[in-house]
Amino acid sequence: MSEQILNMTGIIKTYQMGDDDQVVLDNISLTVYRGDFVAILGPSGSGKSTLMNMIGCLDTPTRGQYILSQQKVDELDESELASIRNKEVGFVFQQFQLLPRLSAIQNVELPLVYAGVPEKTRKNRAWKILERVGLGEKIHHRPNQLSGGQQQRVAIARAMVTEPTILLADEPTGALDQRTGQQIMQLFHELHEEGKTIIMITHDVEIAKNASRIVHILDGKLREEFAHV
Ligand SMILES: Nc1ncnc2c1ncn2[C@@H]1O[C@H](COP(=O)(O)OP(=O)(O)OP(=O)(O)O)[C@@H](O)[C@H]1O
Ligand SMILES: [Mg+2]
């Protein structure tokens, strides 16, 4: 039995809208094991981003229990939340979110700067991981000197450089054409084979099929499908 790294039980998120409470996450329970590649699939407005914010420790639930790497996240305050987030979660976004004035290697180094890693170690780790994602030749390019797919590779390298427990990706192929998107999915497959734990949020069934587990979200409720692999 592989190690549970994420466990949500009875997660509820409500927003106060006038006199009513709007339930956005409705009694969600989810377990993710080390080495999983999970897709969370759902249409617009189903609660994907809200759930991603919860998983990524950007937000806390109204009710329910969330344990990430044996730590009870639902009880943490802002600063504790920030520190668990920095340690456990590597984010990949639809729009890459690279800093435009920094080179690829400087972008990848940045989380290590915040973590207080000395410069030489930092450069070395950033360079190695850029090589790993196929950008060893482009480390001094700025984002606007790279293609969309290459920018997303830089963003993936940045997400992985701190060796987080989970790689959490929100529509990682949403800004890419189909072929480039498929290359990013190929990279995810390789990272998964190397033992990385990946959670990917998407509205696209074809993209979701790259994962080894698909969890559907609809109106804030989860339903799991054991379809393939
Ligand atoms: N801060 C907020 N206050 C009130 N309602 C909110 C808030 N954030 C989200 N919602 C509501 O929660 C529901 C789910 O929103 P969410 O952004 O999680 O959907 P989504 O699945 O990510 O959609 P999309 O695919 O369009 O990004 C929506 O009905 C939205 O209006
Ligand atoms: Mg969203």
Side-chain angles (χ1 to χ4, degrees):
M1 196 65 184
S2 141
E3 182 195 350
Q4 281 191 13
I5 57 170
L6 179 161
N7 184 270
M8 290 184 159
T9 317
I11 293 287
I12 293 175
K13 181 72 181 179
T14 59
Y15 288 110
Q16 184 106 39
M17 298 302 284
D19 289 338
D20 296 326
D21 275 350
Q22 193 195 350
V23 180
V24 178
L25 298 180
D26 188 359
N27 198 20
I28 282 186
S29 295
L30 176 68
T31 303
V32 175
Y33 298 92
R34 189 174 296 284
D36 266 355
F37 181 5
V38 185
I40 296 173
L41 174 65
S44 181
S46 58
K48 297 186 299 294
S49 293
T50 310
L51 180 57
M52 155 143 179
N53 291 344
M54 212 69 72
I55 293 172
C57 304
L58 291 158
D59 200 357
T60 47
T62 310
R63 261 187 286 154
Q65 181 181 266
Y66 178 22
I67 296 170
L68 178 60
S69 290
Q70 279 140 27
Q71 299 155 94
K72 286 197 70 171
V73 177
D74 48 282
E75 291 178 346
L76 302 181
D77 65 26
E78 276 300 321
S79 75
E80 292 170 321
L81 216 52
S83 96
I84 188 170
R85 178 165 68 232
N86 292 338
K87 182 160 168 287
E88 310 289 350
V89 188
F91 290 92
V92 175
F93 301 99
Q94 178 169 352
Q95 299 296 344
F96 325 133
Q97 315 247 16
L98 300 173
L99 293 182
R101 289 173 193 281
L102 300 186
S103 66
I105 192 161
Q106 287 169 330
N107 267 284
V108 175
E109 262 185 81
L110 208 52
L112 300 178
V113 174
Y114 295 136
V117 176
E119 183 171 4
K120 201 159 173 223
T121 317
R122 230 159 60 202
K123 287 251 181 282
N124 204 15
R125 277 170 65 182
W127 173 69
K128 273 202 184 123
I129 199 131
L130 278 166
E131 284 232 298
R132 168 66 196 82
V133 301
L135 288 177
E137 313 276 272
K138 308 262 182 193
I139 62 169
H140 296 304
H141 288 233
R142 283 195 310 277
N144 68 1
Q145 299 168 324
L146 295 167
S147 72
Q150 290 168 343
Q151 289 180 57
Q152 192 60 303
R153 284 169 194 274
V154 174
I156 292 166
R158 179 185 57 186
M160 292 197 314
V161 77
T162 53
E163 301 184 346
T165 312
I166 299 175
L167 194 61
L168 183 57
D170 190 11
E171 303 278 5
T173 64
L176 303 173
D177 63 46
Q178 206 194 347
R179 191 168 147 270
T180 311
Q182 217 24 263
Q183 290 167 356
I184 294 296
M185 285 302 101
Q186 178 55 38
L187 176 59
F188 276 24
H189 279 295
E190 291 167 15
L191 297 173
H192 178 224
E193 271 162 30
E194 288 168 17
K196 292 274 181 307
T197 309
I198 304 172
I199 302 178
M200 175 173 74
I201 314 256
T202 182
H203 69 276
D204 183 333
V205 182
E206 292 308 312
I207 292 297
K209 283 178 180 166
N210 286 286
S212 42
R213 246 178 95 188
I214 299 180
V215 176
H216 293 256
I217 182 165
L218 192 63
D219 293 333
K221 295 187 182 68
L222 284 196
R223 178 173 58 82
E224 181 139 4
E225 194 168 274
F226 295 94
H228 41 91
V229 208

